[in-house]
Amino acid sequence: MSLLNDLINLDLTDSTKKIIAEYIWIGGSGMDLRSKARTLPKPESDPKKLPKWNYDGSSTGQAPGEDSEVILYPQAIFKDPFRGGNNILVICDAYTPTGEPIPTNKRHAAAKIFSHPEVEKEVPWYGIEQEYTLLQKDINWPLGWPKGGFPGPQGPYYCGIGADKAFGRDVVDAHYKACLYAGINISGINGEVMPGQWEFQVGPSVGISAGDEVWAARYILERITEIAGVVVSFDPKPIPGDWNGAGAHTNYSTKSMRDEGGYEIIKKAIEKLGLRHKEHIAAYGEGNERRLTGHHETANINTFKWGVANRGASIRVGRDTEQEGKGYFEDRRPASNMDPYVVTSMIAETTILL
């Protein structure tokens, strides 16, 4: 086994200029990340200079068997924390051979919104709080929970420490450092309210990069849980009953909101979001109705309301923003399994372009 680990950890930089590029894309379910590796002749930092590639879309639910070729377009590069050296992770989106984005390619539409002059002028910032649950591999039950049973009620677990309160910290810390190594703008982690549930935050990131970074961070998390022999779930309500669900609260601001007088811009933006509440909810993740019940720090899915420091609201404005008269707000509606390309671009479209 030590020889195997030695080979896995080989540093190639002294023996070859060639690098390994892991091409990553989103499969047919919209949440199943896929990847495969190829050798490139030399290090590269510009995704536009990377070769396009193809894969069998009939095996990912994205193309029929009689015309199965789907083309990967490299869009963002991160350092590979698993192989190290000059090796890279490459976030891609997917197209038909004629250059049309396939239906599950949500990045393409988001990039159009973020490249709109009015949106670019506002320099939209995002901070995404990605919650997730770690599960025991063979029984599909949260990490640290007794098999077939339940731990004590919620209360001591949020940001808790100790063997009876924090479960999976080694996975969480490994993920934190791996994301920093990769160049992801990960800004923090914490244990969540339900035991076995954790959160990492990505941002502030500008425009389309927020989606790229969240997907890269999700990929790294899935790879680390693969190594650790546990399963990561992005289900918005993994355990029914009196347990918190999992969301992806999305913090947002524009240049106008961050400038003097920005609080008035924020209130107008929130009003616009309220007018499109149903459209946003429909795009904010599968199974979100099980989470947005009006309990466990959520607003009811059929109700739109906002408030200062109110964690039971659809939109929360921080005390600092209210006092300073400028800043950002938090959309608390997105589920943990939302597509960050969809959510970030939709918020920009609603608040800037409509």
Side-chain angles (χ1 to χ4, degrees):
M1 184 59 72
S2 61
L3 177 58
L4 181 60
N5 285 331
D6 289 342
L7 291 171
I8 290 171
N9 295 320
L10 271 178
D11 185 353
L12 302 177
T13 53
D14 291 335
S15 58
T16 180
K17 290 182 179 179
K18 293 180 179 179
I19 67 161
I20 301 171
E22 190 78 26
Y23 278 44
I24 302 163
W25 71 97
I26 302 157
S29 76
M31 276 301 291
D32 56 321
L33 283 162
R34 311 282 179 135
S35 75
K36 60 178 182 173
R38 67 182 298 166
T39 305
L40 298 178
K42 62 181 178 62
E44 186 53 73
S45 59
D46 183 356
K48 292 183 176 63
K49 294 181 180 178
L50 294 178
K52 295 174 185 175
W53 205 6
N54 65 74
Y55 67 92
D56 172 16
S58 68
S59 295
T60 62
Q62 294 171 297
E66 63 274 12
D67 187 14
S68 66
E69 192 167 287
V70 181
I71 312 301
L72 293 171
Y73 287 31
Q75 300 291 0
I77 292 175
F78 299 92
K79 292 175 64 178
D80 186 340
F82 303 102
R83 295 188 175 107
N86 293 319
N87 302 302
I88 55 176
L89 305 177
V90 185
I91 297 294
C92 305
D93 58 355
Y95 297 79
T96 67
T98 58
E100 294 297 316
I102 65 171
T104 53
N105 179 354
K106 307 303 183 184
R107 190 188 191 280
H108 182 265
K112 279 189 172 181
I113 291 171
F114 285 121
S115 63
H116 190 287
E118 291 300 310
V119 176
E120 286 187 333
K121 186 173 70 175
E122 284 292 346
V123 195
W125 287 4
Y126 298 91
I128 297 174
E129 305 171 30
Q130 175 69 71
E131 294 177 340
Y132 60 94
T133 308
L134 296 175
L135 304 177
Q136 302 169 59
K137 181 181 175 184
D138 296 325
I139 60 173
N140 213 37
W141 199 237
L143 203 64
W145 290 36
K147 292 184 178 180
F150 297 87
Q154 295 182 156
Y157 309 108
Y158 173 69
C159 297
I161 60 170
D164 59 342
K165 303 180 192 72
F167 310 113
R169 192 183 295 276
D170 51 350
V171 169
V172 173
D173 275 351
H175 176 251
Y176 196 173
K177 287 188 174 180
C179 284
L180 286 172
Y181 176 92
I184 294 167
N185 194 23
I186 186 169
S187 47
I189 58 164
N190 61 267
E192 266 305 328
V193 177
M194 190 183 86
Q197 197 172 81
W198 295 82
E199 172 184 300
F200 65 86
Q201 302 97 33
V202 170
S205 302
V206 178
I208 197 73
S209 64
D212 291 337
E213 292 184 13
V214 169
W215 277 115
R218 285 175 172 177
Y219 174 84
I220 291 171
L221 180 59
E222 294 241 31
R223 285 284 304 276
I224 289 173
T225 55
E226 172 190 322
I227 295 166
V230 297
V231 174
V232 59
S233 170
F234 294 104
D235 189 288
K237 186 73 174 180
I239 305 296
D242 195 19
W243 303 98
N244 272 37
H249 302 155
T250 301
N251 299 277
Y252 170 70
S253 71
T254 63
K255 185 177 183 300
S256 297
M257 295 175 192
R258 297 186 294 269
D259 288 343
E260 292 301 319
Y263 195 40
E264 292 304 313
I265 306 297
I266 287 172
K267 288 192 285 186
K268 289 176 184 176
I270 293 172
E271 184 180 344
K272 290 180 178 180
L273 288 170
L275 294 174
R276 294 190 77 201
H277 178 63
K278 287 185 178 179
E279 292 92 332
H280 279 255
I281 287 294
Y284 273 18
E286 295 295 323
N288 212 9
E289 71 283 351
R290 293 183 282 115
R291 167 181 162 261
L292 297 181
T293 60
H295 304 288
H296 304 108
E297 301 181 278
T298 70
N300 186 279
I301 195 167
N302 297 313
T303 303
F304 182 88
K305 62 179 181 178
W306 74 278
V308 176
N310 184 356
R311 295 184 183 277
S314 312
I315 306 291
R316 181 185 68 87
V317 174
R319 289 281 180 211
D320 288 349
T321 295
E322 180 189 41
Q323 290 168 2
E324 294 177 13
K326 60 183 178 180
Y328 71 97
F329 63 83
E330 174 192 43
D331 191 338
R332 296 179 59 81
R333 297 170 295 171
S336 50
N337 60 4
M338 63 82 161
D339 188 322
Y341 294 133
V342 173
V343 169
T344 57
S345 61
M346 195 173 192
I347 291 173
E349 180 185 46
T350 297
T351 61
I352 300 173
L353 298 180
L354 298 182

